[in-house]
């Protein structure tokens, strides 16, 4: 079974917003101080209303070690922020070998190359998100590998430290 990882809008690494497995376990992770995000009470109420409390576990901050353990079992990185000018978590997820699902605007849309490297969706469309997850689940392994390789290759070519360093040196060079 695959696992979906969702991170909060503009949350630093270590603050995953959610893990949504395809199998029996469904975990929702919330960012915030001491592991309690502001939305947690409302989300807990929703879980209660949906009667899925046995399938949802709330977690707080993950340290780097635990975050890497979580990423190691995740197939898809999903973040659908309303306003994300850059989207630095997308290249990080791509380099971890995760499939990418992001918003159809801003920096993530550019990183996803208009949807060529992953799924670019309207942030408020639950239907589009469900369709993307269904499409991902239906992909043959060879196509999954192709998406992963292309996204990692593209992100490495644009965002690797040595690439950014060369660009900065060029920009900061006298007479530039």
């Amino acid at each position: 079974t695959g696992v979906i990882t969702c991170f909060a809008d503009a949350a630093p690494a270590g603050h995953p917003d959610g893990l949504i497995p395809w199998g029996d376990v469904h975990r929702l992770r919330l960012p915030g101080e001491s592991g309690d995000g502001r939305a947690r009470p409302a989300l807990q109420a929703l879980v209660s209303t949906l009667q899925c409390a046995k399938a949802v576990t709330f977690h707080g901050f993950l340290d780097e070690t635990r975050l890497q353990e979580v990423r190691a079992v995740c197939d898809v990185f999903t973040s659908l922020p309303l306003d994300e000018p850059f989207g630095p978590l997308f290249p990080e997820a791509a380099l971890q070998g995760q499939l990418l699902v992001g918003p159809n605007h801003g920096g993530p849309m550019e990183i996803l190359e208009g949807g060529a490297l992953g799924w670019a969706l309207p942030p408020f469309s639950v239907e589009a998100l469900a369709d993307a997850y269904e499409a991902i689940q239906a992909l043959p392994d060879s196509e999954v590998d192709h998406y992963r390789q292309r996204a990692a290759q593209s992100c490495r070519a644009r965002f690797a430290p040595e690439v950014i360093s060369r660009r900065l040196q060029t920009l900061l060079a006298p007479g530039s």
Side-chain angles (χ1 to χ4, degrees):
T1 60
V3 178
I4 308 299
T5 308
C6 305
F7 289 80
D9 178 14
H15 282 264
D17 190 18
L19 279 178
I20 307 170
W22 293 117
D24 300 338
V25 184
H26 178 129
R27 293 187 186 106
L28 185 64
R29 298 179 183 275
L30 299 171
E33 293 179 32
S34 303
D36 291 315
R38 290 172 292 180
R40 185 174 182 155
L43 290 169
Q44 286 174 317
L46 177 62
V47 165
S48 178
T49 300
L50 296 173
Q51 299 179 357
C52 60
K54 289 183 180 180
V56 177
T57 304
F58 288 88
H59 299 273
F61 180 82
L62 295 177
D63 63 32
E64 187 63 27
T65 301
R66 181 68 182 121
L67 180 61
Q68 292 309 317
E69 291 170 1
V70 168
R71 282 190 172 144
V73 297
C74 295
D75 296 317
V76 181
F77 172 80
T78 302
S79 181
L80 294 169
L82 296 178
D83 181 23
E84 180 59 65
F86 176 62
L89 295 176
F90 286 91
E92 187 177 322
L95 294 172
Q96 295 279 333
Q98 295 170 319
L99 298 174
L100 306 174
V101 177
N104 61 355
H105 65 273
M109 178 71 159
E110 182 180 335
I111 292 165
L112 293 171
E113 295 182 9
L117 302 179
W119 289 258
L121 315 173
F124 285 120
S125 178
V126 176
E127 295 82 9
L129 182 59
D131 290 346
Y133 288 165
E134 287 176 9
I136 290 167
Q137 243 183 342
L139 287 175
D141 289 346
S142 61
E143 197 167 339
V144 168
D145 291 342
H146 182 68
Y147 268 104
R148 287 181 173 148
Q149 291 166 0
R150 283 186 31 223
Q153 204 171 38
S154 174
C155 288
R156 207 174 287 109
R158 293 182 288 161
F159 306 113
E162 61 275 8
V163 172
I164 292 174
S165 176
R166 279 193 307 270
R167 288 183 188 160
L168 284 173
Q169 288 173 356
T170 301
L171 286 171
L172 299 174
S176 296

